[in-house]
Amino acid sequence: MTRIDDVARLAGVSTATVSRALRGLPTVSAATRRRVLAAAEQLQYAVSPSASRLAGGRTGTVAVVVPRITRWFFGTVVEAVEDFLHQAGYDLLLYNLGGREQIRQRVLRTANLHKRVDAIMLVATPLRSADLTALAALDLPGITISSGSTVPGWPCVRIDDVAAARTATRHLLDLGHRRIAHISGDPDDELAYTTHLDRRRGYREALRAAGIRPDPSLDMESQFTIDGGNRATTELLARGEPPTAIFAACDEIAMGAMTALRDAGLRVPQDVSVIGVDDHDLSGVLGLSTIAQPAAEQGRLAARLLLDPLGAHAADPYGDRVPVSRGAGDGPPSPPVILPTRLVVRESTAPPRAH
């Protein structure tokens, strides 16, 4: 295997000069650079990407922080991010908070990331003021995904959660439903960040636009899980007259709702229609109507935005139409990059049956 000192001997220069020439530094004359490049080509010398990055003060690693990797959205995003980073020659360092405060503080409030990564990606990670201060001190480029947090100077890639909820609720209204329940996030659940607030707002806006006053007894709180949806629906049915339709803030809640309805002897959609948000991998199998969000596309785009200021590139369709990331606290907040959602109608929604 050809080594850098072989190139140095053939070109008649030091290994340090070879390194500077191959990295394109301005301290090497044009004639010397041509001689080094010719020697490297003759010997078929290939620069190690990791060695080159380290020589330039780079680690070749991006930190990705998620609240809980087992959730469908987070897992889908991380898989897309890792694939994009791999194509660009970068590694991914995953931090799964899992609701554990000690991990949050170790990752976000200490110098744990200093000199270990080149950039940071926060996927729907709620932030406190102390977290923002710590991120600014790291002085690294970063980006956020989803509406969980906003970091000054960092771009954000997300969907319009309010609009998605309005579309879902309006679909049920257009079918003729008027007694529509909503199951969303628990405000005491840290992982709910702000998505549950935005989707509840969209639900209420759609009802009011149709001349319907939101009924607090039909507005349930739940964790973003199948079990959470099951428990919330069971409690909803115990309150008395069941709704004719349920808008669940995510597909996993909707799946739990469908299970609870079945266990109660109610049919979907003959007795109760159900719609969610996400287009989870199992939604098609279960015939669940949903608002599809581009989870993987959010990950790919965020990865591209994150790598741009590092000078790394991989194929993507967005060109220069989106902002690049800076250090936390550097400059005014960047406008979010909002990706579109779409209504997917399946077998779980239908007009209410006549009584």
Side-chain angles (χ1 to χ4, degrees), residues 131-331:
D131 301 328
L132 292 172
T133 301
L135 289 172
L138 288 173
D139 193 28
L140 290 172
I143 195 165
T144 63
I145 297 181
S146 192
S147 56
S149 56
T150 300
V151 179
W154 288 10
C156 176
V157 176
R158 63 180 179 85
I159 65 170
D160 187 333
D161 287 293
V162 176
R166 278 199 304 261
T167 299
T169 308
R170 195 160 49 232
H171 169 63
L172 298 173
L173 291 165
D174 290 344
L175 289 172
H177 294 279
R178 292 298 178 267
R179 187 171 171 78
I180 302 171
H182 175 53
I183 305 176
S184 189
D186 181 351
D188 295 327
D189 177 12
E190 182 180 281
L191 297 183
Y193 40 102
T194 63
T195 297
H196 70 293
L197 299 176
D198 291 338
R199 294 181 185 175
R200 178 172 282 117
R201 174 183 160 195
Y203 157 76
R204 291 175 176 173
E205 286 182 358
L207 291 181
R208 291 191 181 101
I212 300 173
R213 178 179 295 180
D215 184 348
S217 69
L218 296 178
D219 199 341
M220 306 295 297
E221 296 174 352
S222 164
Q223 292 186 324
F224 278 63
T225 63
I226 294 175
D227 182 60
N230 189 311
R231 286 186 283 105
T233 304
T234 299
E235 180 183 341
L236 176 67
L237 296 177
R239 292 182 176 182
E241 181 186 356
T244 64
I246 295 174
F247 162 48
C250 76
D251 283 357
E252 288 173 88
I253 291 177
M255 293 173 193
M258 293 170 72
T259 301
L261 292 169
R262 181 199 63 198
D263 292 346
L266 297 172
R267 299 166 299 167
V268 176
Q270 293 90 338
D271 298 314
V272 182
S273 288
V274 179
I275 189 170
V277 177
D278 277 337
D279 202 20
H280 187 288
D281 293 341
L282 294 177
S283 296
V285 177
L286 298 175
L288 175 63
S289 294
T290 188
I291 304 298
Q293 68 162 317
E297 189 176 357
Q298 290 177 70
R300 286 190 293 268
L301 175 56
R304 204 280 282 176
L305 289 174
L306 195 59
L307 293 188
D308 263 2
L310 303 179
H313 301 283
D316 77 277
Y318 293 94
D320 298 322
R321 291 182 290 157
V322 288
V324 297
S325 116
R326 304 181 293 271
D330 181 11

